[in-house]
C-alpha cells in the first residue's frame, strides 16, 4: 500500500514479545548513535484507532537527539495480534502489560520516557500505576477519564452496535460517513485516509470494542496518578494541540495542575500534534525530556 511521506517508515520494524496471552507486537525503531552505554528510550504508544506509523515524523529527530525511539502497535491494533477478549484491552489491563515492556527495557540499562497519545495516554497512566519504572511520563491529547460528549464520543456510541451487528467493515463505513459531515482534519491526505482505513479494519474487533467501552467509562484516576508520580519522583508533561477536539484544552490544563506536571499547548495542531505539527511538538518534547534525563 502506498503511504504519504509522513507515514512511510524507513525505520527498523520488529516484533516485541509481550507476556502471557498477548504475544508479540509490531514496533518501529530509530536508534541513537552508539555511545558505549545504553541510551535512554522514548517509548511511544498510539491512540484508539492509531498505530506506530503515527509517530514516524518523530522517530528520526528523537534518535538524532540521542534517544532510542520505539513506536508500537498496542495489542490487537493494526499489525499486532491479541486475544478475543474485550476486557484484555482496558487501560488498566493493557497498562500492566506495558509496564512489563518498560521493565524489560529498564533491565537492559535504558532509562525510559513513556509517551501515550489519546487512549494510549490512559494506557500509559495504567502502566505507571502498575509500577512501570519510567524516567518520565508524557500524556499527549489524553484526559483525566472518559471521553466527554462530542463528535468523537458520538462516533463511539454509533460504532459499537454497527460493529456488533454487522462487523468491522460496516463500522468503518459509518465512521467515514460521520467524518464526511465534519471539517477535514489537518494533514488528512488521501494516502493517510487509506492508511487509517486499513489499520482500522485490520484491528481486532475485541480490541476496538474494549477500548471504546473504556473511553465511555474510564474513571478519573488523576489523584491516584499524582500520588504515584510524587512518591516515585517521576516528572510528567501534559501536552495537546490548541484545537484538540477530544478532551478539551482546559480539562487537560486542569489535569496538569492536579498532577503538578508541566503543560504545553502545540499551535497549529488539533488532536494529533505528532502529525499536524511535529516540529513544534518535538521542540517541547526534547527540551522537557532532556531536563528529566539530566536532572
Amino acid at each position: 500500500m502506498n503511504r504519504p511521506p509522513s507515514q512511510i517508515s524507513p525505520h527498523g520494524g520488529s516484533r516485541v514479545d509481550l507476556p502471557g496471552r498477548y504475544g508479540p507486537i509490531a514496533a518501529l525503531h530509530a536508534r541513537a548513535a552508539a555511545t558505549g552505554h545504553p541510551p535512554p528510550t522514548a517509548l511511544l504508544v498510539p491512540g484508539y484507532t492509531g498505530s506506530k506509523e503515527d509517530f514516524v515524523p518523530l522517530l528520526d529527530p528523537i534518535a538524532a537527539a540521542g534517544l532510542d525511539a520505539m513506536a508500537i502497535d498496542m495489542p490487537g491494533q493494526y499489525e499486532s495480534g491479541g486475544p478475543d477478549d474485550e476486557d484484555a484491552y482496558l487501560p488498566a489491563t493493557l497498562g500492566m502489560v506495558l509496564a512489563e515492556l518498560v521493565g524489560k527495557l529498564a533491565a537492559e540499562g535504558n532509562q525510559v520516557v513513556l509517551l501515550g497519545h489519546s487512549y494510549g495516554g490512559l494506557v500509559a497512566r495504567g502502566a505507571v500505576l502498575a509500577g512501570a519504572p519510567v524516567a518520565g511520563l508524557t500524556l499527549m491529547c489524553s484526559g483525566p477519564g472518559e471521553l466527554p460528549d462530542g463528535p468523537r464520543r458520538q462516533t463511539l456510541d454509533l460504532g459499537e452496535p454497527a460493529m456488533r451487528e454487522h462487523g468491522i467493515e460496516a463500522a468503518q463505513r459509518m465512521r467515514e460517513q460521520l467524518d464526511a459531515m465534519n471539517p477535514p482534519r489537518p494533514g488528512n491526505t488521501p494516502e493517510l485516509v487509506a492508511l487509517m482505513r486499513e489499520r482500522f479494519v485490520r484491528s481486532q474487533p475485541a480490541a476496538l470494542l474494549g477500548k471504546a467501552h473504556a473511553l465511555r467509562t474510564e474513571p478519573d484516576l488523576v489523584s491516584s496518578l499524582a500520588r504515584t508520580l510524587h512518591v516515585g519522583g517521576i516528572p510528567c508533561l501534559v501536552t495537546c494541540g490548541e484545537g484538540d477536539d477530544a478532551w478539551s484544552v482546559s480539562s487537560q490544563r486542569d489535569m496538569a495542575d492536579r498532577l503538578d506536571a508541566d503543560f504545553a499547548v502545540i499551535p497549529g495542531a488539533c488532536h494529533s500534534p505528532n502529525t499536524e505539527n511535529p516540529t513544534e511538538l518535538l521542540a517541547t518534547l526534547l527540551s522537557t525530556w532532556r531536563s528529566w534525563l539530566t536532572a
Side-chain angles (χ1 to χ4, degrees):
M1 184 188 73
N2 293 326
R3 292 177 181 169
S6 65
Q7 297 293 327
I8 293 172
S9 176
H11 308 94
S14 68
R15 310 293 290 182
V16 179
D17 288 332
L18 291 180
R21 57 185 174 155
Y22 288 93
I25 59 170
L28 295 175
H29 302 262
R31 306 289 187 182
T35 60
H37 57 81
T41 297
L43 179 57
L44 313 175
V45 184
Y48 169 50
T49 58
S51 67
K52 58 194 178 302
E53 284 76 15
D54 289 335
F55 299 111
V56 166
L58 309 184
L59 295 180
D60 283 341
I62 290 173
L67 291 78
D68 282 351
M70 178 189 293
I72 64 171
D73 289 342
M74 285 192 285
Q77 186 176 59
Y78 191 27
E79 295 179 325
S80 294
D84 186 20
D85 175 5
E86 294 174 27
D87 288 346
Y89 303 100
L90 301 179
T93 312
L94 284 178
M96 289 188 288
V97 176
L98 184 61
E100 293 201 36
L101 175 57
V102 173
K104 286 184 178 181
L105 294 170
E108 296 169 0
N110 305 85
Q111 291 179 284
V112 179
V113 291
L114 179 60
L115 180 149
H117 173 225
S118 193
Y119 190 84
L122 300 179
V123 174
R125 176 176 76 180
V128 172
L129 291 173
V134 298
L137 172 66
T138 299
L139 302 174
M140 184 175 75
C141 300
S142 192
E146 66 183 72
L147 193 66
D149 290 338
R152 290 179 181 269
R153 181 149 182 166
Q154 178 189 23
T155 300
L156 295 178
D157 292 340
L158 296 173
E160 178 177 351
M163 189 179 302
R164 291 192 186 280
E165 295 173 23
H166 304 292
I168 198 167
E169 291 278 359
Q172 174 60 22
R173 288 193 295 271
M174 187 217 66
R175 285 166 50 85
E176 291 170 353
Q177 292 167 0
L178 291 173
D179 285 344
M181 298 168 59
N182 295 309
R185 293 171 185 167
N188 269 15
T189 64
E191 295 84 0
L192 180 54
V193 170
L195 170 64
M196 292 163 65
R197 185 188 192 285
E198 182 195 18
R199 68 189 184 189
F200 185 88
V201 299
R202 286 183 59 181
S203 293
Q204 291 273 5
L208 293 169
L209 290 167
K211 289 186 285 186
H213 173 74
L215 282 168
R216 292 178 294 170
T217 60
E218 179 73 358
D220 185 326
L221 299 177
V222 174
S223 295
S224 296
L225 180 61
R227 287 192 296 271
T228 300
L229 295 174
H230 176 73
V231 170
I234 301 168
C236 182
L237 167 69
V238 175
T239 186
C240 62
E242 64 179 350
D244 199 337
D245 60 350
W247 291 272
S248 68
V249 174
S250 61
S251 69
Q252 293 180 72
R253 181 182 290 109
D254 176 71
M255 180 172 70
D257 289 342
R258 294 169 62 195
L259 293 172
D260 194 23
D262 293 332
F263 179 69
V265 174
I266 307 302
C270 295
H271 189 57
S272 298
N274 42 305
T275 57
E276 296 159 350
N277 194 350
T279 300
E280 290 291 336
L281 175 63
L282 281 161
T284 295
L285 295 179
L286 293 176
S287 63
T288 301
W289 293 349
R290 286 190 191 103
S291 70
W292 294 351
L293 295 168
T294 58

